[in-house]
Amino acid sequence: MAERLVARLRSLRRWARGSWGVPAASAALIALALRSWSTTAFHVGLVTATVVAGRPIALRAWHDLRIPRVGIEALVTIAVLGAFAIGELWEGAAVTFLFALGGALERATVGRTRHALARLFELAPETATVRRDGNEVVVAPSEVRPGEVVVVRP
């Protein structure tokens, strides 16, 4: 029983450090802020959620600007700073959460696509049968010439 709990905690720790940790933490902080009992707690929750989700975005923006390159991270950072400047803490928290969630979804999709492509390449044949001068010849796939007829059997 204790071993299963330790294994579950390790799995949860890996998940939290992975793609989903930042959006999940930001969402939890926003939810806590929305259920807060005072304006101060609401504001602290939103600022904390923005810092949690916005820190990685701002760091990437800073690195991009040092190249110099203006990317989407810099634009999101400017938008969040602007939202804070006019007192729209909710907007800053929402923008950083949505950007972090989008990044996590993108990484998950790319990971699944890479895995599917790797499985597809494993199915690639090691030989190809082509028709040359009326005869069927077995060759390596890299030796198939453009315009040749490839024989495919069920």
Side-chain angles (χ1 to χ4, degrees):
M1 183 77 149
E3 293 171 4
R4 288 178 60 201
L5 179 61
V6 169
R8 181 72 180 132
L9 287 174
R10 285 186 182 143
S11 173
L12 184 61
R13 190 175 300 135
R14 273 193 310 272
W15 180 84
R17 289 182 182 161
S19 299
W20 299 103
V22 169
S26 178
L29 289 164
I30 290 171
L32 286 173
L34 291 173
R35 295 186 51 91
S36 65
W37 56 94
S38 71
T39 304
T40 303
F42 177 71
H43 290 160
V44 167
L46 291 179
V47 169
T48 306
T50 304
V51 169
V52 166
R55 183 177 181 273
I57 299 166
L59 288 175
R60 286 192 304 270
W62 175 252
H63 291 295
D64 280 354
L65 290 173
R66 292 178 68 200
I67 291 176
R69 177 178 63 195
V70 177
I72 186 67
E73 288 85 359
L75 299 175
V76 168
T77 302
I78 291 168
V80 170
L81 292 174
F84 272 37
I86 63 172
E88 293 294 334
L89 302 180
W90 164 250
E91 296 300 327
V95 165
T96 55
F97 164 72
L98 290 172
F99 195 81
L101 179 62
L105 288 170
E106 180 182 359
R107 285 185 292 278
T109 302
V110 168
R112 286 185 178 156
T113 302
R114 283 188 181 139
H115 182 69
L117 285 173
R119 286 195 335 235
L120 184 62
F121 281 121
E122 289 172 2
L123 298 175
E126 295 179 16
T127 61
T129 304
V130 295
R131 200 167 275 144
R132 291 185 182 160
D133 300 324
N135 297 319
E136 290 183 3
V137 181
V138 177
V139 297
S142 60
E143 295 175 13
V144 176
R145 297 181 210 139
E148 279 191 307
V149 175
V150 177
V151 179
V152 180
R153 292 195 173 85

